[in-house]
Amino acid sequence: MKRRIIVTFSVMFLLPLVSSAQCAMCRAVLESEDNNTIAEGINNGIVYLMAIPYILVGVLFYFVYRKMKS
């Protein structure tokens, strides 16, 4: 049981770091420009916005698990 929780948290925290998501319109606009630093900034912003809910849910489940364990 403990191993399953560790694997779940590991996947939940590492998956957003590996992915680099971008909507089609943002990608089209950013690829047409020559400035790559703006595109990297948009990609990082999207990844951060995607990771925050996973972190919050993970913390919530951790506290619930700890409460039920005691």
Side-chain angles (χ1 to χ4, degrees):
M1 180 69 179
K2 193 173 191 178
R3 182 179 169 103
R4 181 188 294 176
I5 292 172
I6 292 171
V7 170
T8 303
F9 280 126
S10 299
V11 169
M12 189 170 27
F13 288 122
L14 294 177
L15 190 60
L17 298 177
V18 175
S19 67
S20 142
Q22 202 174 60
C23 70
M25 288 301 292
C26 295
R27 182 178 207 148
V29 169
L30 292 173
E31 284 180 350
S32 66
E33 296 179 8
D34 292 332
N35 195 354
N36 287 337
T37 58
I38 295 174
E40 289 175 9
I42 295 292
N43 277 338
N44 289 338
I46 291 170
V47 171
Y48 293 143
L49 287 173
M50 184 180 71
I52 296 297
Y54 287 110
I55 292 170
L56 292 175
V57 169
V59 169
L60 176 71
F61 279 127
Y62 171 74
F63 284 119
V64 168
Y65 174 75
R66 204 170 81 181
K67 180 73 174 176
M68 301 220 11
K69 192 79 170 168
S70 63

